[in-house]
Amino acid sequence: MPITRHLGLTTKLMSPPYHPNHITNVSASILAAVLVLGMASCTSSPPEEDPDHPSASSTTDAAVAAEAAAFPVTVTSSVGSATITGQPRRVVTLGWGSSDVAAALGVPPVGIQEISDDTGDYRAVFPWNKNAFAETPELLNPDEIPYEAIAALHPDVILAVSSGITTEEHARLTEIAPTVGYPGRPWQTGWEDLTRRVGTALGRSEAAESLINATDRALSETARDHPEFAGRTVTFAVNTDGTRLREIPATDARYAVLRRLGFATSPTTPCSSPSFHVPRGLETLTDIDADILVVWHLSDRARQTLEAQPTFAEIPAVTSGGYLPVTDPLLGLAVSTATATSVPWALDNGYVDGLADAAEGRTVPGPRD
């Protein structure tokens, strides 16, 4: 049965066809540029060179030396610390996002916790990071932590920087390998912090900063090209079955991206949550006070059910044409995982166009048959 693991929710998911080979310039160029830094240690021995004009090979040697000097390193988190004594070569990732960053920094994971099995060939490796993988990683159980399967992969480090692991789970994982957890609340690590923490764990902080800068430029250029975004308020929610909305709190990485594009968080958006969403019943949908409402629908049926509700049609953003339905599961995942590589891909593959339509009041609910 097709499922998507969305913030701890297991739901059916259907989607329109997707064309996986459409990798556009911004996201592809960011990954290519960072891989040059991240994979520096893979080059061959340098030839003799003019000392006044260092070659790329000598720069590579300096990068390798810098990586070696980065260890040992201790990374603290809300669930425990991880002390990494040497350059990790075998990486396992749990939760969201860490696999994207590790791959972009030149250390593609050997094991990744599966996110979705209804996105074609993309179940843990996605269009925004697939070019960084020479081999397909082991797909790990999405419903629980598969300790034995992880141990069998002999990881040097386990990255769970945006996840929901507990202190007890962290302790057990640490018996297998140093495990890097999240810095604040579960599932709410921002994309910049995620990138830096993975970069620190892998000894590739310089490449991590380059990745952050490249993604930040993409966001800045998009904001510059779309002045209509500035100051418009937005709410992001997830629809699993059409019987209610799950509002995402303002601390989530999705809002960090939207604010970077110029939007403002809606005053009715939950400031925080002990979970990763706040349920909103159908009877209070009209209380959503936002210029733009972004809803990730996890199935066509869920969308049809929600849009058929009388109170949904009365939401101010819907009546004014500011409603953006996200129905492509890959776009929904790219926006929701919100990593330094998935965000540029999302900008290139429909997110900006949809936001622009919503900001200009050009969107309407879909058919309700």
Side-chain angles (χ1 to χ4, degrees):
M1 176 182 294
I3 62 169
T4 284
R5 296 270 309 170
H6 173 71
L7 298 178
L9 305 174
T10 304
T11 59
K12 287 186 179 181
L13 187 151
M14 298 179 289
S15 67
Y18 169 73
H19 303 288
N21 293 324
H22 180 56
I23 307 293
T24 49
N25 293 334
V26 174
S27 52
S29 62
I30 286 175
L31 180 58
V34 176
L35 280 173
V36 171
L37 282 171
M39 300 185 72
S41 59
C42 298
T43 57
S44 58
S45 300
E48 293 185 7
E49 61 183 38
D50 181 348
D52 294 326
H53 299 86
S55 69
S57 296
S58 63
T59 303
T60 294
D61 290 341
V64 172
E67 289 176 5
F71 300 97
V73 64
T74 297
V75 185
T76 61
S77 77
S78 296
V79 290
S81 62
T83 298
I84 305 160
T85 58
Q87 175 74 54
R89 302 298 179 188
R90 295 181 63 81
V91 174
V92 167
T93 63
L94 301 175
W96 280 10
S98 296
S99 58
D100 286 3
V101 180
L105 297 183
V107 192
V110 295
I112 300 176
Q113 194 165 34
E114 184 178 353
I115 294 177
S116 173
D117 65 357
D118 196 30
T119 46
D121 293 333
Y122 300 108
R123 299 169 64 183
V125 177
F126 296 103
W128 49 90
N129 64 17
K130 73 182 183 73
N131 290 340
F133 286 85
E135 299 179 356
T136 302
E138 183 81 16
L139 297 182
L140 301 174
N141 189 332
D143 298 313
E144 60 185 12
I145 298 177
Y147 297 100
E148 292 184 3
I150 293 172
L153 292 171
H154 305 290
D156 300 315
V157 68
I158 299 168
L159 301 175
V161 183
S162 184
S163 71
I165 65 170
T166 65
T167 302
E168 293 75 18
E169 290 167 339
H170 179 274
R172 187 171 174 185
L173 287 166
T174 299
E175 295 176 0
I176 300 172
T179 301
V180 182
Y182 44 87
R185 296 184 178 184
W187 299 105
Q188 294 187 28
T189 307
W191 70 269
E192 293 163 302
D193 202 1
L194 172 69
T195 306
R196 289 192 175 101
R197 293 174 73 81
V198 172
T200 298
L202 298 180
R204 301 194 172 183
S205 294
E206 181 181 352
E209 289 302 321
S210 296
L211 180 56
I212 289 170
N213 291 337
T215 302
D216 191 62
R217 282 194 299 273
L219 289 167
S220 296
E221 291 169 2
T222 301
R224 180 199 63 201
D225 294 342
H226 290 274
E228 71 273 18
F229 292 171
R232 304 302 299 276
T233 57
V234 63
T235 288
F236 196 110
V238 178
N239 170 28
T240 60
D241 60 10
T243 63
R244 60 179 174 172
L245 278 180
R246 301 173 188 266
E247 286 191 72
I248 304 302
T251 51
D252 190 87
R254 280 166 276 210
Y255 281 104
V257 171
L258 287 165
R259 288 191 290 267
R260 191 66 186 80
L261 292 175
F263 293 99
T265 307
S266 162
T268 57
T269 295
C271 293
S272 62
S273 170
S275 181
F276 10 81
H277 67 271
V278 177
R280 180 181 286 276
L282 298 176
E283 69 281 1
T284 64
L285 291 182
T286 56
D287 293 340
I288 298 175
D289 181 13
D291 297 319
I292 296 168
L293 172 64
V294 182
V295 180
W296 181 16
H297 300 281
L298 297 193
S299 74
D300 291 338
R301 182 178 296 277
R303 178 183 180 180
Q304 293 166 7
T305 300
L306 179 68
E307 291 181 353
Q309 302 298 327
T311 51
F312 179 84
E314 296 172 1
I315 297 173
V318 176
T319 61
S320 64
Y323 160 54
L324 170 56
V326 176
T327 56
D328 180 346
L330 279 170
L331 180 58
L333 286 169
V335 169
S336 297
T337 55
T339 68
T341 53
S342 74
V343 167
W345 185 91
L347 299 181
D348 287 345
N349 286 271
Y351 198 40
V352 172
D353 292 340
L355 289 170
D357 286 341
E360 297 289 352
R362 296 193 295 262
T363 65
V364 294
R368 301 176 181 177
D369 41 69

